[in-house]
Amino acid sequence: AQTVTQSQPEMSVQEAETVTLSCTYDTSESDYYLFWYKQPPSRQMILVIRQEAYKQQNATENRFSVNFQKAAKSFSLKISDSQLGDAAMYFCAYRYGMDSNYQLIWGAGTKLIIKP
Amino acid sequence: KAGVTQTPRYLIKTRGQQVTLSCSPISGHRSVSWYQQTPGQGLQFLFEYFSETQRNKGNFPGRFSGRQFSNSRSEMNVSTLELGDSALYLCASSLVGIADTQYFGPGTRLTVL
């Protein structure tokens, strides 16, 4: 079965510092997509960053970047210069497909706390 | 552009009843996906509709069904409700599908008593 593992249920970081959230996944596919989504308290889920597996270059979006290690099946999210507004649940997700039926498999999430 | 809207926001039902949830995607988006979010199971993919056709499906029983209309609005139906169906149901829309950037609605909180 395809799985996505986020081993850190909760992380905390001082405002303005850098934090890394980890994500590993299990797959036998060679081409797939990986995502980090953010769900702030009582607010809507939003996409943080997206990575296509065939692209060697790590995706970046402003203060957010990923460390994509395809061989190790690892997809960590680095948040630089953490801000209070970054406090949220962060979910790692993987697009899995078999026989042309695609679905998103989600990790359990990491709660990120920002200390002022 | 208006965001993804879901109605109703909260719903209370009893076991055995059925329920219909509605999702209006962002204008121009043809893909609508549905997810179930619970504290125990986390986020699980239900299904995706694209141009009125179910294109992808997760591992849920047949009690969970959906449809999409010509204006891309989507409904999700759950029949014969069980206590375990209590969850936040999220819908997301995108231009082309789940590999694309998905925009989520606020969710419908369903409580089954």
Side-chain angles (χ1 to χ4, degrees):
Chain A
Q2 311 300 315
T3 56
V4 175
T5 302
Q6 293 180 249
S7 58
Q8 308 147 316
E10 186 174 294
M11 292 279 286
S12 64
V13 63
Q14 207 71 36
E15 194 177 2
E17 294 190 345
T18 295
V19 64
T20 299
L21 309 184
S22 67
C23 172
T24 58
Y25 56 95
D26 180 29
T27 184
S28 55
E29 295 181 304
S30 59
D31 190 19
Y32 47 88
Y33 294 85
L34 294 160
F35 309 86
W36 278 99
Y37 278 90
K38 167 185 175 181
Q39 188 176 37
S42 304
R43 292 183 61 188
Q44 289 163 225
M45 184 96 73
I46 57 172
L47 177 68
V48 175
I49 205 161
R50 173 177 177 270
Q51 175 82 43
E52 297 171 56
Y54 69 88
K55 288 188 177 177
Q56 303 281 2
Q57 190 172 7
N58 289 325
T60 62
E61 284 290 340
N62 302 312
R63 298 182 295 107
F64 298 86
S65 62
V66 297
N67 183 5
F68 174 48
Q69 301 287 329
K70 192 172 183 179
K73 298 178 184 175
S74 170
F75 183 60
S76 60
L77 175 70
K78 186 172 88 169
I79 306 173
S80 304
D81 185 26
S82 297
Q83 300 175 1
L84 294 177
D86 295 333
M89 283 292 292
Y90 285 81
F91 294 96
C92 177
Y94 157 74
R95 192 197 77 157
Y96 158 70
M98 186 169 77
D99 298 330
S100 298
N101 182 51
Y102 295 99
Q103 53 178 298
L104 273 188
I105 309 295
W106 297 80
T110 296
K111 182 178 181 180
L112 180 63
I113 298 166
I114 310 294
K115 298 177 185 175
Chain B
K1 275 188 181 177
V4 178
T5 58
Q6 292 187 246
T7 57
R9 293 292 310 279
Y10 302 91
L11 208 47
I12 300 175
K13 292 286 188 179
T14 55
R15 276 183 302 173
Q17 286 187 309
Q18 75 166 21
V19 67
T20 299
L21 313 182
S22 180
C23 173
S24 292
I26 290 172
S27 177
H29 285 191
R30 296 166 67 188
S31 167
V32 174
S33 298
W34 288 90
Y35 300 88
Q36 182 195 65
Q37 186 175 24
T38 62
Q41 297 295 317
L43 275 154
Q44 294 183 281
F45 172 77
L46 281 153
F47 31 64
E48 181 212 5
Y49 283 85
F50 185 86
S51 293
E52 303 179 63
T53 302
Q54 186 181 87
R55 186 162 67 171
N56 296 302
K57 189 177 188 307
N59 304 320
F60 276 80
R63 300 186 298 108
F64 292 82
S65 63
R67 58 178 176 167
Q68 187 179 33
F69 302 94
S70 59
N71 62 357
S72 293
R73 189 177 71 85
S74 177
E75 288 182 346
M76 190 191 92
N77 185 76
V78 188
S79 62
T80 320
L81 283 166
E82 301 177 0
L83 295 178
D85 297 332
S86 294
L88 180 67
Y89 289 89
L90 297 169
C91 94
S93 77
S94 68
L95 282 171
V96 295
I98 58 176
D100 194 10
T101 300
Q102 293 189 85
Y103 296 85
F104 281 78
T108 294
R109 173 76 63 185
L110 172 65
T111 302
V112 182
L113 302 175

